[in-house]
Amino acid sequence: MPVTVLVIWGLCGIGWGVVLLRLRSGLHGPARGSALFAHTATPVAVVLFFSLIGFGSLYATIALTAQWWALLAVTGFRPERLVATGGLGRLAAWAAVTAGFACSAAEFMFRV
């Protein structure tokens, strides 16, 4: 197994964990349970979806890694800010940074 795949998996797991910890400490009230459930179910749902459409889990892992690290970068390690403050500008920045991270990671993975 190539080292780059292990690095992507490691970054994905770390990113997922950091977002989970920040959501647990940052969110309060009725939205907390839904956000934590959605975040916990996301990895399984995305990997199953990518497998269903025939891409496999490597592309899903690259996409999830890019999304979580872009979320942390755009919100300053406070993911609850994505919808609480900043409006559509922060959401658009998250989408743009995610696309950049995913394209860069995919190009790196398949070039090495």
Side-chain angles (χ1 to χ4, degrees):
M1 179 172 308
V3 173
T4 52
V5 173
L6 295 175
V7 169
I8 290 291
W9 284 350
L11 286 173
C12 186
I14 292 168
W16 182 83
V18 170
V19 171
L20 179 67
L21 290 174
R22 296 305 301 161
L23 284 175
R24 287 190 64 179
S25 66
L27 283 177
H28 303 290
R32 184 172 190 237
S34 301
L36 291 176
F37 175 76
H39 181 68
T40 303
T42 296
V44 174
V46 169
V47 168
L48 287 175
F49 176 72
F50 273 61
S51 297
L52 180 67
I53 62 174
F55 281 119
S57 65
L58 181 60
Y59 291 107
T61 306
I62 291 171
L64 288 175
T65 303
Q67 287 179 0
W68 287 322
W69 286 105
L71 176 64
L72 292 170
V74 168
T75 60
F77 282 77
R78 293 186 59 203
E80 70 275 3
R81 288 182 179 173
L82 185 63
V83 291
T85 60
L88 293 177
R90 196 178 302 257
L91 189 61
W94 176 53
V97 172
T98 297
F101 281 178
C103 289
S104 299
E107 184 176 331
F108 178 75
M109 283 288 300
F110 298 110
R111 188 173 287 202
V112 171

